[in-house]
Coordinates of all heavy atoms in Angstrom, one line a residue:
G1 N -39.5 -19.1 32.3 CA -40.7 -18.3 32.2 C -41.0 -17.6 33.5 O -40.2 -17.6 34.5
E2 N -42.1 -16.8 33.6 CA -42.4 -16.0 34.7 C -43.0 -16.9 35.9 O -42.7 -16.6 37.0 CB -43.4 -14.9 34.4 CG -42.7 -13.8 33.6 CD -43.7 -12.8 33.0 OE1 -44.8 -12.7 33.6 OE2 -43.4 -12.2 32.0
L3 N -43.8 -17.9 35.6 CA -44.4 -18.6 36.6 C -43.4 -19.3 37.5 O -43.5 -19.1 38.8 CB -45.4 -19.7 36.0 CG -46.0 -20.6 37.1 CD1 -47.1 -19.8 37.9 CD2 -46.5 -21.9 36.5
P4 N -42.4 -20.1 37.0 CA -41.5 -20.7 37.9 C -40.7 -19.7 38.8 O -40.5 -19.9 40.0 CB -40.5 -21.4 37.0 CG -41.2 -21.5 35.7 CD -42.2 -20.4 35.6
Q5 N -40.4 -18.5 38.2 CA -39.7 -17.5 38.9 C -40.6 -16.9 40.0 O -40.1 -16.7 41.1 CB -39.2 -16.4 38.0 CG -38.1 -15.6 38.5 CD -36.9 -16.4 38.9 OE1 -36.3 -17.2 38.1 NE2 -36.4 -16.3 40.2
A6 N -41.9 -16.7 39.7 CA -42.8 -16.2 40.7 C -42.9 -17.2 41.9 O -43.0 -16.8 43.1 CB -44.1 -15.9 40.1
E7 N -43.1 -18.5 41.5 CA -43.2 -19.5 42.6 C -41.9 -19.6 43.4 O -42.0 -19.7 44.6 CB -43.4 -20.9 42.0 CG -44.8 -21.1 41.3 CD -45.9 -21.3 42.3 OE1 -45.7 -21.1 43.5 OE2 -47.0 -21.6 41.8
K8 N -40.8 -19.4 42.8 CA -39.5 -19.5 43.5 C -39.4 -18.3 44.5 O -39.0 -18.4 45.6 CB -38.3 -19.5 42.5 CG -37.0 -19.7 43.3 CD -35.8 -19.4 42.3 CE -34.6 -19.2 43.2 NZ -34.6 -18.1 44.1
S9 N -39.8 -17.1 44.0 CA -39.8 -15.9 44.8 C -40.7 -16.1 46.0 O -40.4 -15.7 47.2 CB -40.2 -14.7 44.0 OG -39.4 -14.4 43.0
L10 N -41.9 -16.7 45.8 CA -42.8 -17.0 46.9 C -42.1 -18.0 47.9 O -42.2 -17.8 49.1 CB -44.1 -17.6 46.3 CG -45.1 -18.1 47.3 CD1 -45.7 -17.0 48.2 CD2 -46.2 -18.9 46.7
G11 N -41.5 -19.0 47.3 CA -40.8 -20.0 48.2 C -39.7 -19.3 49.0 O -39.6 -19.5 50.2
D12 N -39.0 -18.4 48.4 CA -37.9 -17.7 49.1 C -38.5 -16.8 50.3 O -37.9 -16.8 51.4 CB -37.1 -16.7 48.2 CG -36.3 -17.5 47.1 OD1 -36.0 -18.7 47.4 OD2 -35.9 -16.9 46.2
A13 N -39.6 -16.2 50.0 CA -40.2 -15.3 51.0 C -40.7 -16.2 52.2 O -40.5 -15.9 53.4 CB -41.4 -14.5 50.4
L14 N -41.4 -17.3 51.9 CA -41.9 -18.2 52.9 C -40.7 -18.8 53.7 O -40.8 -19.0 54.9 CB -42.7 -19.3 52.2 CG -44.1 -18.9 51.7 CD1 -44.6 -19.9 50.7 CD2 -45.1 -18.6 52.8
Y15 N -39.7 -19.2 53.0 CA -38.5 -19.8 53.6 C -37.9 -18.9 54.6 O -37.6 -19.3 55.8 CB -37.5 -20.2 52.5 CG -36.3 -20.9 53.0 CD1 -36.2 -22.3 53.0 CD2 -35.1 -20.2 53.4 CE1 -35.1 -23.0 53.5 CE2 -34.0 -20.9 53.8 CZ -34.0 -22.3 53.9 OH -32.9 -22.9 54.3
R16 N -37.8 -17.6 54.2 CA -37.2 -16.6 55.2 C -38.1 -16.4 56.4 O -37.6 -16.1 57.5 CB -37.0 -15.3 54.5 CG -35.8 -15.2 53.6 CD -35.4 -13.8 53.2 NE -36.4 -13.2 52.3 CZ -36.4 -13.4 50.9 NH1 -35.4 -14.1 50.4 NH2 -37.3 -12.8 50.2
R17 N -39.4 -16.6 56.3 CA -40.3 -16.5 57.4 C -40.3 -17.7 58.2 O -41.0 -17.8 59.3 CB -41.7 -16.2 56.9 CG -41.8 -14.8 56.4 CD -43.2 -14.2 56.7 NE -44.3 -15.0 56.1 CZ -44.9 -14.8 55.0 NH1 -44.6 -13.8 54.2 NH2 -45.9 -15.7 54.6
G18 N -39.7 -18.8 57.7 CA -39.7 -20.1 58.5 C -41.0 -20.9 58.2 O -41.3 -21.9 58.9
A19 N -41.7 -20.6 57.1 CA -42.9 -21.4 56.7 C -42.4 -22.4 55.8 O -42.7 -22.3 54.6 CB -44.0 -20.4 56.1
Y20 N -41.8 -23.4 56.3 CA -41.0 -24.4 55.5 C -41.9 -25.3 54.6 O -41.6 -25.6 53.5 CB -40.1 -25.2 56.3 CG -39.0 -24.4 57.0 CD1 -38.8 -24.4 58.3 CD2 -38.2 -23.5 56.2 CE1 -37.9 -23.6 58.9 CE2 -37.2 -22.7 56.8 CZ -37.1 -22.8 58.1 OH -36.1 -22.0 58.7
D21 N -43.1 -25.7 55.2 CA -43.9 -26.6 54.4 C -44.5 -25.9 53.2 O -44.5 -26.4 52.0 CB -45.1 -27.1 55.2 CG -44.6 -28.2 56.3 OD1 -43.5 -28.7 56.1 OD2 -45.3 -28.4 57.2
E22 N -44.9 -24.6 53.4 CA -45.5 -23.9 52.3 C -44.3 -23.5 51.3 O -44.5 -23.5 50.0 CB -46.1 -22.6 52.8 CG -47.4 -22.8 53.5 CD -47.1 -22.9 55.0 OE1 -46.0 -23.3 55.5 OE2 -48.1 -22.6 55.8
A23 N -43.2 -23.2 51.8 CA -42.0 -22.9 50.9 C -41.7 -24.1 50.1 O -41.5 -24.0 48.9 CB -40.8 -22.5 51.8
A24 N -41.7 -25.3 50.7 CA -41.4 -26.5 49.9 C -42.4 -26.7 48.8 O -42.0 -27.1 47.7 CB -41.4 -27.7 50.9
E25 N -43.6 -26.5 49.0 CA -44.6 -26.6 48.0 C -44.4 -25.6 46.8 O -44.5 -26.0 45.7 CB -46.0 -26.4 48.5 CG -46.5 -27.6 49.3 CD -47.9 -27.3 50.0 OE1 -48.6 -26.4 49.6 OE2 -48.1 -28.0 51.1
A26 N -44.0 -24.4 47.2 CA -43.8 -23.4 46.1 C -42.5 -23.8 45.3 O -42.5 -23.7 44.1 CB -43.6 -22.0 46.8
Y27 N -41.5 -24.2 46.0 CA -40.3 -24.7 45.3 C -40.6 -25.9 44.4 O -40.1 -25.9 43.3 CB -39.2 -25.1 46.3 CG -38.5 -23.9 47.0 CD1 -38.2 -23.9 48.3 CD2 -38.1 -22.7 46.2 CE1 -37.6 -22.8 48.9 CE2 -37.5 -21.7 46.9 CZ -37.2 -21.7 48.2 OH -36.6 -20.7 48.8
R28 N -41.4 -26.8 44.9 CA -41.7 -28.0 44.1 C -42.4 -27.6 42.8 O -42.2 -28.1 41.7 CB -42.5 -29.0 44.9 CG -41.6 -29.9 45.7 CD -42.3 -31.1 46.2 NE -41.6 -31.5 47.4 CZ -41.9 -31.2 48.6 NH1 -43.0 -30.5 48.9 NH2 -41.2 -31.6 49.7
R29 N -43.4 -26.7 43.0 CA -44.1 -26.2 41.8 C -43.2 -25.5 40.8 O -43.3 -25.7 39.6 CB -45.3 -25.2 42.2 CG -46.5 -25.9 42.9 CD -47.6 -25.0 43.0 NE -47.4 -23.8 43.8 CZ -47.6 -23.7 45.1 NH1 -48.1 -24.7 45.8 NH2 -47.3 -22.6 45.7
A30 N -42.3 -24.7 41.3 CA -41.3 -24.0 40.5 C -40.4 -24.9 39.7 O -40.2 -24.8 38.5 CB -40.5 -23.0 41.3
L31 N -39.9 -25.9 40.4 CA -39.0 -26.9 39.8 C -39.7 -27.8 38.9 O -39.1 -28.3 37.9 CB -38.2 -27.6 40.9 CG -37.3 -26.8 41.7 CD1 -36.8 -27.5 43.0 CD2 -36.1 -26.3 40.9
K32 N -41.0 -28.1 39.1 CA -41.7 -28.9 38.2 C -41.9 -28.2 36.9 O -41.8 -28.8 35.8 CB -43.1 -29.3 38.8 CG -43.8 -30.4 38.1 CD -45.1 -30.7 38.8 CE -45.8 -31.8 38.1 NZ -47.0 -32.3 38.8
A33 N -42.1 -26.9 37.0 CA -42.3 -26.1 35.8 C -41.0 -25.8 35.0 O -41.0 -25.7 33.8 CB -43.0 -24.7 36.1
D34 N -39.9 -25.7 35.8 CA -38.6 -25.5 35.2 C -37.5 -26.2 36.1 O -37.0 -25.6 37.0 CB -38.3 -24.0 35.2 CG -36.9 -23.7 34.6 OD1 -36.3 -24.6 34.2 OD2 -36.6 -22.5 34.6
P35 N -37.2 -27.5 35.7 CA -36.3 -28.3 36.5 C -34.9 -27.7 36.6 O -34.1 -28.0 37.5 CB -36.2 -29.6 35.8 CG -37.5 -29.6 35.0 CD -37.8 -28.2 34.6
D36 N -34.5 -26.7 35.7 CA -33.2 -26.1 35.7 C -33.3 -24.7 36.3 O -32.4 -23.9 36.0 CB -32.6 -26.1 34.3 CG -32.3 -27.5 33.8 OD1 -32.0 -28.4 34.6 OD2 -32.5 -27.7 32.6
L37 N -34.2 -24.5 37.1 CA -34.5 -23.1 37.7 C -33.3 -22.5 38.4 O -33.0 -21.3 38.3 CB -35.7 -23.2 38.6 CG -36.2 -21.9 39.1 CD1 -36.7 -21.0 38.0 CD2 -37.4 -22.1 40.1
G38 N -32.6 -23.3 39.1 CA -31.4 -22.8 39.8 C -31.0 -23.6 41.0 O -31.9 -24.3 41.6
D39 N -29.8 -23.6 41.3 CA -29.2 -24.4 42.4 C -29.8 -24.0 43.7 O -30.0 -24.8 44.6 CB -27.7 -24.4 42.4 CG -27.1 -23.0 42.5 OD1 -27.7 -22.1 41.8 OD2 -26.2 -22.8 43.2
D40 N -30.1 -22.7 43.9 CA -30.6 -22.3 45.2 C -32.0 -22.9 45.6 O -32.2 -23.1 46.8 CB -30.6 -20.8 45.4 CG -31.3 -20.0 44.3 OD1 -31.5 -20.6 43.2 OD2 -31.8 -18.9 44.6
A41 N -32.8 -23.1 44.6 CA -34.1 -23.7 44.9 C -33.9 -25.1 45.4 O -34.6 -25.5 46.3 CB -35.0 -23.6 43.6
Y42 N -33.1 -25.9 44.7 CA -32.8 -27.2 45.2 C -32.1 -27.2 46.5 O -32.4 -28.1 47.4 CB -31.9 -28.0 44.2 CG -32.6 -28.4 42.9 CD1 -32.5 -27.7 41.7 CD2 -33.4 -29.5 42.9 CE1 -33.1 -28.1 40.6 CE2 -34.1 -29.9 41.7 CZ -33.9 -29.2 40.6 OH -34.6 -29.6 39.4
F43 N -31.2 -26.3 46.7 CA -30.5 -26.2 48.0 C -31.5 -25.9 49.1 O -31.5 -26.6 50.2 CB -29.5 -25.0 47.9 CG -28.8 -24.8 49.2 CD1 -28.0 -25.8 49.8 CD2 -28.8 -23.5 49.8 CE1 -27.4 -25.6 51.0 CE2 -28.1 -23.3 51.0 CZ -27.4 -24.3 51.6
R44 N -32.4 -25.0 49.0 CA -33.3 -24.6 50.1 C -34.3 -25.7 50.3 O -34.7 -26.0 51.4 CB -34.0 -23.3 49.7 CG -33.0 -22.2 49.8 CD -33.8 -20.8 49.9 NE -32.8 -19.8 50.1 CZ -32.8 -18.7 49.4 NH1 -33.7 -18.5 48.5 NH2 -31.8 -17.8 49.6
L45 N -34.8 -26.4 49.2 CA -35.7 -27.5 49.3 C -35.0 -28.6 50.1 O -35.6 -29.3 51.0 CB -36.2 -28.0 48.0 CG -37.3 -28.9 47.9 CD1 -38.5 -28.5 48.7 CD2 -37.8 -29.2 46.4
G46 N -33.7 -28.8 49.8 CA -32.9 -29.8 50.5 C -32.8 -29.5 52.0 O -32.9 -30.4 52.8
N47 N -32.6 -28.2 52.3 CA -32.5 -27.8 53.7 C -33.8 -28.1 54.4 O -33.7 -28.5 55.6 CB -32.3 -26.2 53.7 CG -30.9 -25.9 53.2 OD1 -30.0 -26.7 53.0 ND2 -30.7 -24.6 53.0
I48 N -34.9 -27.8 53.8 CA -36.2 -28.1 54.4 C -36.3 -29.6 54.7 O -36.8 -29.9 55.8 CB -37.4 -27.6 53.5 CG1 -37.3 -26.1 53.4 CG2 -38.7 -28.1 54.1 CD1 -38.2 -25.5 52.3
H49 N -36.0 -30.4 53.8 CA -36.0 -31.9 54.1 C -35.1 -32.3 55.2 O -35.4 -33.1 56.0 CB -35.7 -32.7 52.8 CG -36.9 -32.7 51.9 ND1 -38.0 -33.6 52.1 CD2 -37.2 -32.1 50.7 CE1 -38.9 -33.4 51.1 NE2 -38.4 -32.5 50.3
Y50 N -33.9 -31.6 55.2 CA -33.0 -31.9 56.2 C -33.5 -31.6 57.6 O -33.4 -32.3 58.6 CB -31.6 -31.2 56.0 CG -30.6 -31.6 56.9 CD1 -29.9 -32.9 56.7 CD2 -30.2 -30.9 58.0 CE1 -28.9 -33.3 57.6 CE2 -29.2 -31.3 58.9 CZ -28.6 -32.5 58.7 OH -27.6 -32.9 59.5
K51 N -34.2 -30.4 57.7 CA -34.8 -30.0 59.0 C -35.8 -31.0 59.5 O -36.1 -31.1 60.7 CB -35.5 -28.6 58.8 CG -34.5 -27.4 58.7 CD -35.3 -26.2 58.5 CE -34.4 -25.1 57.9 NZ -33.4 -24.6 58.8
K52 N -36.5 -31.7 58.5 CA -37.5 -32.7 58.8 C -36.9 -34.1 59.0 O -37.6 -35.1 59.1 CB -38.5 -32.7 57.7 CG -39.3 -31.4 57.6 CD -40.1 -31.4 56.3 CE -41.5 -31.7 56.5 NZ -42.3 -31.6 55.2
M53 N -35.5 -34.1 59.1 CA -34.8 -35.4 59.3 C -34.9 -36.3 58.1 O -34.8 -37.5 58.3 CB -35.2 -36.1 60.6 CG -35.2 -35.2 61.9 SD -33.6 -34.5 62.2 CE -32.8 -35.9 62.9
E54 N -35.2 -35.8 57.0 CA -35.3 -36.6 55.8 C -34.0 -36.4 55.0 O -33.9 -35.7 54.0 CB -36.5 -36.1 54.9 CG -37.9 -36.4 55.6 CD -39.0 -35.7 55.0 OE1 -38.9 -34.9 54.0 OE2 -40.2 -35.8 55.5
R55 N -33.0 -37.1 55.6 CA -31.6 -36.8 55.1 C -31.4 -37.3 53.7 O -30.7 -36.6 52.9 CB -30.6 -37.5 56.0 CG -30.6 -36.8 57.4 CD -29.3 -36.9 58.1 NE -29.3 -36.2 59.3 CZ -29.2 -36.7 60.5 NH1 -29.1 -38.0 60.6 NH2 -29.2 -36.0 61.6
E56 N -31.9 -38.5 53.3 CA -31.6 -39.0 52.0 C -32.2 -38.1 50.9 O -31.5 -37.8 49.9 CB -32.2 -40.4 51.8 CG -31.4 -41.5 52.5 CD -31.7 -41.6 54.0 OE1 -32.6 -40.8 54.5 OE2 -31.0 -42.3 54.7
E57 N -33.4 -37.6 51.1 CA -34.0 -36.6 50.2 C -33.2 -35.3 50.1 O -33.0 -34.8 49.1 CB -35.5 -36.4 50.6 CG -36.3 -35.5 49.6 CD -36.4 -36.1 48.2 OE1 -36.1 -37.3 48.0 OE2 -37.0 -35.4 47.4
A58 N -32.8 -34.9 51.3 CA -31.9 -33.7 51.3 C -30.7 -33.8 50.5 O -30.3 -33.0 49.7 CB -31.6 -33.3 52.8
V59 N -30.0 -35.0 50.7 CA -28.8 -35.3 49.9 C -29.1 -35.3 48.4 O -28.3 -34.8 47.6 CB -28.2 -36.6 50.4 CG1 -27.1 -37.1 49.4 CG2 -27.5 -36.4 51.8
R60 N -30.2 -35.9 48.0 CA -30.5 -36.0 46.6 C -30.7 -34.6 46.0 O -30.2 -34.3 44.9 CB -31.9 -36.8 46.5 CG -32.2 -37.2 45.0 CD -33.5 -37.9 45.0 NE -34.7 -37.0 45.3 CZ -35.2 -36.1 44.4 NH1 -34.6 -36.0 43.2 NH2 -36.2 -35.4 44.7
L61 N -31.4 -33.7 46.7 CA -31.6 -32.4 46.3 C -30.4 -31.5 46.2 O -30.1 -30.8 45.3 CB -32.7 -31.7 47.1 CG -34.1 -32.3 46.9 CD1 -35.0 -32.0 48.1 CD2 -34.8 -31.7 45.7
W62 N -29.5 -31.7 47.2 CA -28.3 -31.0 47.3 C -27.4 -31.4 46.1 O -26.7 -30.6 45.5 CB -27.6 -31.2 48.6 CG -28.2 -30.4 49.7 CD1 -29.1 -29.4 49.6 CD2 -28.1 -30.7 51.1 NE1 -29.5 -29.0 50.9 CE2 -28.9 -29.8 51.8 CE3 -27.4 -31.6 51.9 CZ2 -29.0 -29.8 53.2 CZ3 -27.5 -31.6 53.3 CH2 -28.3 -30.7 53.9
R63 N -27.4 -32.7 45.8 CA -26.6 -33.2 44.7 C -27.0 -32.6 43.4 O -26.2 -32.2 42.5 CB -26.7 -34.7 44.6 CG -25.8 -35.4 45.6 CD -25.6 -36.9 45.2 NE -24.8 -37.6 46.3 CZ -25.2 -38.6 47.0 NH1 -26.4 -39.1 46.7 NH2 -24.5 -39.2 47.9
K64 N -28.4 -32.4 43.3 CA -28.9 -31.8 42.1 C -28.5 -30.3 42.0 O -28.1 -29.8 40.9 CB -30.4 -31.9 42.1 CG -31.2 -31.3 40.9 CD -31.0 -32.2 39.7 CE -31.7 -31.5 38.5 NZ -31.3 -32.0 37.2
A65 N -28.5 -29.6 43.1 CA -28.0 -28.3 43.2 C -26.6 -28.2 42.7 O -26.2 -27.3 42.0 CB -28.2 -27.7 44.6
L66 N -25.8 -29.1 43.2 CA -24.3 -29.1 42.8 C -24.1 -29.4 41.4 O -23.2 -28.9 40.7 CB -23.6 -30.1 43.7 CG -22.2 -29.8 44.1 CD1 -22.0 -28.5 44.7 CD2 -21.6 -30.9 45.0
E67 N -25.0 -30.3 40.8 CA -24.9 -30.5 39.3 C -25.1 -29.2 38.6 O -24.4 -29.0 37.6 CB -26.0 -31.5 38.9 CG -25.7 -32.9 38.9 CD -26.9 -33.8 38.6 OE1 -27.7 -33.5 37.7 OE2 -27.1 -34.8 39.4
L68 N -26.1 -28.4 39.0 CA -26.4 -27.2 38.3 C -25.3 -26.1 38.5 O -25.1 -25.3 37.7 CB -27.8 -26.6 38.8 CG -29.0 -27.4 38.3 CD1 -30.3 -26.8 39.0 CD2 -29.1 -27.4 36.8
N69 N -24.7 -26.2 39.7 CA -23.7 -25.2 40.0 C -22.6 -25.8 40.8 O -22.6 -25.7 42.1 CB -24.3 -24.0 40.7 CG -23.2 -22.9 41.1 OD1 -22.1 -23.0 40.7 ND2 -23.6 -22.0 41.9
P70 N -21.6 -26.4 40.2 CA -20.5 -27.1 40.9 C -19.7 -26.1 41.8 O -19.0 -26.6 42.7 CB -19.6 -27.7 39.8 CG -20.5 -27.7 38.6 CD -21.5 -26.6 38.7
Q71 N -19.8 -24.9 41.5 CA -19.0 -23.9 42.3 C -19.7 -23.5 43.6 O -19.2 -22.7 44.4 CB -18.9 -22.6 41.5 CG -17.6 -22.6 40.6 CD -17.8 -23.5 39.4 OE1 -18.8 -23.4 38.7 NE2 -16.8 -24.4 39.2
N72 N -20.9 -24.1 43.9 CA -21.6 -23.7 45.1 C -21.0 -24.4 46.3 O -21.3 -25.6 46.6 CB -23.1 -24.1 45.0 CG -23.9 -23.5 46.1 OD1 -23.5 -23.3 47.2 ND2 -25.2 -23.1 45.7
T73 N -20.1 -23.7 47.0 CA -19.3 -24.3 48.1 C -20.2 -24.6 49.3 O -19.9 -25.5 50.1 CB -18.1 -23.4 48.5 OG1 -18.6 -22.1 48.7 CG2 -17.1 -23.3 47.4
V74 N -21.2 -23.8 49.5 CA -22.1 -24.1 50.7 C -22.8 -25.4 50.5 O -22.8 -26.2 51.5 CB -23.2 -22.9 50.8 CG1 -24.1 -23.2 52.0 CG2 -22.5 -21.6 50.9
V75 N -23.3 -25.7 49.3 CA -23.9 -27.0 49.1 C -22.9 -28.1 49.2 O -23.2 -29.1 49.9 CB -24.6 -27.1 47.6 CG1 -25.1 -28.5 47.3 CG2 -25.7 -26.0 47.5
R76 N -21.7 -27.9 48.7 CA -20.7 -28.9 48.8 C -20.3 -29.3 50.2 O -20.2 -30.4 50.6 CB -19.4 -28.5 48.0 CG -18.4 -29.6 47.8 CD -17.3 -29.0 46.9 NE -17.6 -28.7 45.6 CZ -17.8 -29.6 44.6 NH1 -17.7 -30.9 44.9 NH2 -18.1 -29.2 43.4
T77 N -20.2 -28.2 51.0 CA -19.9 -28.4 52.5 C -21.0 -29.2 53.2 O -20.7 -30.1 53.9 CB -19.7 -27.0 53.1 OG1 -18.7 -26.3 52.4 CG2 -19.2 -27.2 54.6
N78 N -22.3 -28.8 52.9 CA -23.4 -29.5 53.5 C -23.4 -31.0 53.1 O -23.5 -31.8 54.0 CB -24.7 -28.9 53.0 CG -25.2 -27.7 53.9 OD1 -24.3 -27.0 54.5 ND2 -26.4 -27.4 53.8
L79 N -23.2 -31.3 51.9 CA -23.1 -32.6 51.4 C -22.0 -33.4 52.1 O -22.3 -34.6 52.5 CB -22.9 -32.7 49.9 CG -24.1 -32.8 49.0 CD1 -23.8 -32.6 47.5 CD2 -24.9 -34.1 49.2
E80 N -20.9 -32.9 52.2 CA -19.7 -33.6 52.8 C -20.0 -33.9 54.3 O -19.8 -35.0 54.7 CB -18.5 -32.8 52.6 CG -17.9 -32.9 51.2 CD -16.8 -31.8 50.9 OE1 -16.4 -31.1 51.9 OE2 -16.3 -31.8 49.8
L81 N -20.6 -32.9 55.0 CA -20.9 -33.1 56.4 C -21.9 -34.2 56.5 O -21.8 -35.1 57.4 CB -21.5 -31.8 57.0 CG -20.5 -30.7 57.2 CD1 -21.2 -29.4 57.6 CD2 -19.5 -31.1 58.3
V82 N -23.0 -34.2 55.8 CA -24.1 -35.1 55.9 C -23.7 -36.5 55.5 O -24.0 -37.5 56.1 CB -25.4 -34.7 55.1 CG1 -26.4 -35.8 55.1 CG2 -25.9 -33.4 55.7
E83 N -22.9 -36.6 54.4 CA -22.5 -37.9 53.9 C -21.5 -38.5 54.9 O -21.5 -39.8 55.0 CB -21.8 -37.8 52.5 CG -22.9 -37.6 51.4 CD -22.4 -37.3 50.0 OE1 -21.2 -36.8 49.9 OE2 -23.1 -37.5 49.1
N84 N -20.7 -37.7 55.6 CA -19.9 -38.3 56.6 C -20.7 -38.9 57.8 O -20.4 -39.9 58.4 CB -18.9 -37.2 57.2 CG -17.8 -36.9 56.1 OD1 -17.5 -37.8 55.3 ND2 -17.3 -35.7 56.2
V85 N -21.8 -38.2 58.1 CA -22.7 -38.6 59.2 C -23.4 -39.9 58.8 O -23.6 -40.8 59.6 CB -23.7 -37.5 59.5 CG1 -24.8 -38.1 60.4 CG2 -23.0 -36.4 60.2
L86 N -23.8 -40.0 57.5 CA -24.6 -41.1 57.0 C -23.7 -42.4 56.9 O -24.3 -43.5 56.9 CB -25.2 -40.8 55.6 CG -26.4 -39.8 55.6 CD1 -26.8 -39.5 54.2 CD2 -27.6 -40.4 56.4
R87 N -22.4 -42.2 56.8 CA -21.6 -43.4 56.6 C -21.5 -44.3 57.8 O -21.6 -43.8 58.9 CB -20.1 -42.9 56.3 CG -19.9 -42.9 54.8 CD -18.5 -42.7 54.4 NE -18.5 -41.9 53.1 CZ -18.1 -40.7 53.0 NH1 -17.6 -40.0 54.1 NH2 -18.2 -40.1 51.9

């Protein structure tokens, strides 16, 4: 629908400006309305958590992104790097 997409666009705009807390809220609203919205929403939300040193949550979100799009090599690389650090 339009609402999740609008929230995601808002999240993207905030993310680009570096307003990560607000971006995270917009992404969460979007994903709550449409959990299959897209791998990039999960990826960016994961990035925000990672920046806040919330690595387990970042990994959880990145895994979800990869489930939606196994071809996303950026997400895969991030996951591999972080999982090696967490070991």
Side-chain angles (χ1 to χ4, degrees):
E2 284 171 25
L3 176 77
Q5 201 54 56
E7 290 284 9
K8 187 191 165 300
S9 299
L10 175 64
D12 291 343
L14 290 162
Y15 184 90
R16 282 194 291 273
R17 288 213 304 263
Y20 297 122
D21 289 342
E22 291 93 334
E25 283 173 26
Y27 287 137
R28 277 196 205 95
R29 287 192 300 267
L31 292 169
K32 193 173 179 176
D34 180 4
D36 297 326
L37 186 60
D39 53 320
D40 55 333
Y42 285 101
F43 176 58
R44 291 197 176 131
L45 192 51
N47 292 350
I48 293 166
H49 281 284
Y50 188 76
K51 286 176 202 294
K52 296 165 105 176
M53 309 301 282
E54 294 165 359
R55 292 205 176 117
E56 285 80 5
E57 184 65 5
V59 165
R60 190 183 70 77
L61 289 157
W62 289 340
R63 283 196 184 121
K64 182 73 183 161
L66 212 53
E67 266 172 47
L68 290 175
N69 179 8
Q71 273 71 53
N72 193 325
T73 51
V74 180
V75 174
R76 193 177 292 284
T77 304
N78 274 24
L79 264 174
E80 284 166 5
L81 287 170
V82 173
E83 284 174 340
N84 288 336
V85 169
L86 288 175
R87 264 190 213 111

